[in-house]
Amino acid sequence: MATVGVLILCAVLGSAFASPIADCTDFTGGVVKINSVDVPGCTTAPCVVKRGTNATVTINFTPSIQEKDITNQVYGIIAGQKVPFPLSENDACKLGAKCPMPANEMETEKVTIQILKIYPPITLIAEWELFDAEGTEQGCFLIQIKIEN
């Protein structure tokens, strides 16, 4: 039975990641529409990053209501568990978005993630969540990442 579950998960992820970016399948609602996500050099899944370097992710999003602030949280999904990826800065206002963010206007933030040398070489799904000033999740997307030496 577990084998069937793994095969189904692989089939779903494989189809979801023909592009390196996918919507979170379990997230509904939220007032932030993810317009586009760019990882330089990544056009197909998985996005390859090297240990001991920085990866830059540019996110274009549009809040449907005015937002005071948006913060980012990133997790690697490893063996079914969400493991936090630390960000040196997670505040969209400090990453290029203008705050407060007007309703229905596209904002852009550029986030840098350190790919630490202690990270093992692994292929994983990163879940990227955007939260409003009250701590409510307002947007979410997935990126398939391969960490290499």
Side-chain angles (χ1 to χ4, degrees), residues 21 23 32-38 58-63 105-108 141:
I21 312 301
D23 291 330
V32 173
K33 177 185 178 220
I34 307 298
N35 301 312
S36 66
V37 178
D38 179 57
T58 302
I59 306 162
N60 294 306
F61 63 92
T62 304
E105 287 189 23
M106 189 168 74
E107 297 293 336
T108 299
F141 61 90

Side-chain angles (χ1 to χ4, degrees), residues 104-139:
N104 302 312
E105 287 189 23
M106 189 168 74
E107 297 293 336
T108 299
E109 63 174 338
K110 188 177 272 191
V111 183
T112 300
I113 302 174
Q114 291 181 319
I115 310 301
L116 301 176
K117 287 185 179 185
I118 62 170
Y119 293 166
I122 188 173
T123 299
L124 58 93
I125 305 299
E127 182 173 321
W128 199 296
E129 301 171 349
L130 288 83
F131 290 85
D132 64 17
E134 288 75 39
T136 303
E137 185 176 359
Q138 296 297 344

